[in-house]
Amino acid sequence: MSVLHSGPRYASNDGVCDALCASLGDMVAERHEEHGEIVVTVHRDRIEDALRLLRDEHSYQQLMEIAGVDFPDRAERFEVVYMLLSLTKNHRIIVKCATDEATPVPTVTTLWPNAGWLEREVFDMYGVTFAGNMDLRRILTDYGFEGHPFRKDFPLTGYQELRYSEEEKRVVYEPVELAQDFRSFDFTSPWEGADYVLPGDEKASTPPVAEPKSTDSPKDTGAGAKTDAKAAEKVSAAAPAKEGTGTPDPEAPAPTEDRPDRKPREGSTNDTATATEIEEEKD
């Protein structure tokens, strides 16, 4: 059974970027196509207007995701990435804007209700604030959490650790008391040019074996006719008794056929077969 749908199976990017940027006008700060996707960077204060135009005029109906990216070396270190989907065109585009730690980004909860939770995730992980979001709280970390885990300068061990206190019967927060080896992370893999010896690497300086042993002949492995003959010898102290040997096992129970017959039961009793026949006759 064939299913008909208005959306094409595959939508080409040919001419799409030019048409969108012409419609957005001076809202566009940068545009390019990368990895088969159209990426449009707009000015931060015009992000709501740009996304509204793309939703209403170009049929990008769904906001699929809002993500954050951290570039510590930039003046505006954070990028807020909006991923849009057009169901009627079967096409996706990416819209981005840049901001810093103190400047908020206009909220798009006025366009898509699901943007509320997505903006809370970016705020929780990166610390980006959104002007107009009426419920901008942490959503992935705990209430007493300090810092933003997805920032590049956030230490891998964190700042606080939590545990359950039996004395206070609640979860308590304490400063991290672990070894702070990752506090000054230099973004260099410790396996590439480390100035110290990692645990286990001290074995790497062991010199190789001067004369490696090999098993080129059977005598090197211990195999041969003498070994086979010795393996065939019985070394067990007492093998189990076999039938017909004439040597009874003193601990074995007496055979059933040698036991005396059981005395007959007193009173009238019927065997199982007879009792079954009587019940069948009654039926």
Side-chain angles (χ1 to χ4, degrees):
M1 178 180 179
S2 60
V3 179
L4 300 179
H5 195 275
S6 58
R9 291 187 176 181
Y10 175 77
S12 174
N13 290 337
D14 297 339
V16 176
C17 188
D18 295 335
L20 295 180
C21 292
S23 179
L24 293 172
D26 59 353
M27 291 185 282
V28 178
E30 184 183 353
R31 47 173 282 188
H32 66 278
E33 185 174 346
E34 187 177 5
H35 304 295
E37 294 182 338
I38 296 176
V39 182
V40 179
T41 303
V42 302
H43 298 290
R44 179 181 58 255
D45 56 346
R46 304 295 304 277
I47 185 65
E48 182 182 2
D49 298 333
L51 295 180
R52 186 189 304 275
L53 188 145
L54 292 174
R55 185 195 67 176
D56 298 341
E57 302 294 334
H58 297 277
S59 302
Y60 287 94
Q61 303 96 344
Q62 290 194 358
L63 173 66
M64 304 304 297
E65 181 62 277
I66 300 179
V69 187
D70 184 15
F71 298 95
D73 298 333
R74 299 182 183 179
E76 293 184 334
R77 60 182 295 183
F78 301 114
E79 282 188 351
V80 182
V81 184
Y82 302 84
M83 305 175 190
L84 306 182
L85 168 65
S86 173
L87 296 176
T88 54
K89 298 178 181 180
N90 192 17
H91 192 263
R92 298 174 185 264
I93 61 171
I94 295 177
V95 182
K96 301 192 298 185
C97 68
T99 187
D100 53 22
E101 301 180 13
T103 307
V105 177
T107 182
V108 295
T109 53
T110 55
L111 305 178
W112 293 283
N114 67 317
W117 282 30
L118 300 177
E119 290 176 353
R120 287 177 60 182
E121 290 182 5
V122 177
F123 164 71
D124 193 1
M125 296 292 104
Y126 294 93
V128 177
T129 57
F130 293 88
N133 190 319
M134 306 305 295
D135 189 21
L136 197 61
R137 297 174 295 157
R138 291 187 180 271
I139 191 173
L140 297 178
T141 58
D142 204 354
Y143 294 106
F145 194 87
E146 295 183 2
H148 304 280
F150 279 6
R151 289 187 178 184
K152 294 295 180 62
D153 53 2
F154 188 83
L156 299 182
T157 53
Y159 293 104
Q160 290 183 336
E161 60 182 356
L162 57 90
R163 64 178 179 85
Y164 182 78
S165 174
E166 288 290 347
E167 294 78 10
E168 302 182 23
K169 301 298 181 182
R170 66 180 181 89
V171 176
V172 295
Y173 292 84
E174 298 173 342
V176 173
E177 297 180 357
L178 302 176
Q180 304 299 301
D181 295 337
F182 300 112
R183 286 292 183 185
S184 57
F185 189 64
D186 57 358
F187 300 98
T188 303
S189 174
W191 288 271
E192 298 177 0
D195 297 331
Y196 52 91
V197 180
L198 296 174
D201 286 355
E202 61 275 2
K203 302 177 182 179
S205 59
T206 304
V209 179
E211 297 180 359
K213 295 183 179 181
S214 60
T215 55
D216 298 333
S217 61
K219 65 179 181 179
D220 296 330
T221 62
K226 294 183 178 179
T227 305
D228 296 339
K230 186 175 181 180
E233 298 178 358
K234 296 181 180 181
V235 296
S236 58
K242 298 182 179 180
E243 296 182 358
T245 58
T247 305
D249 189 353
E251 299 181 359
T256 306
E257 57 272 12
D258 296 341
R259 295 180 182 178
D261 296 336
R262 186 174 57 182
K263 296 181 180 180
R265 296 180 180 178
E266 298 180 356
S268 58
T269 58
N270 295 324
D271 294 335
T272 304
T274 308
T276 306
E277 294 176 358
I278 295 174
E279 293 294 332
E280 292 178 353
E281 292 178 359
K282 291 180 179 180
D283 294 343

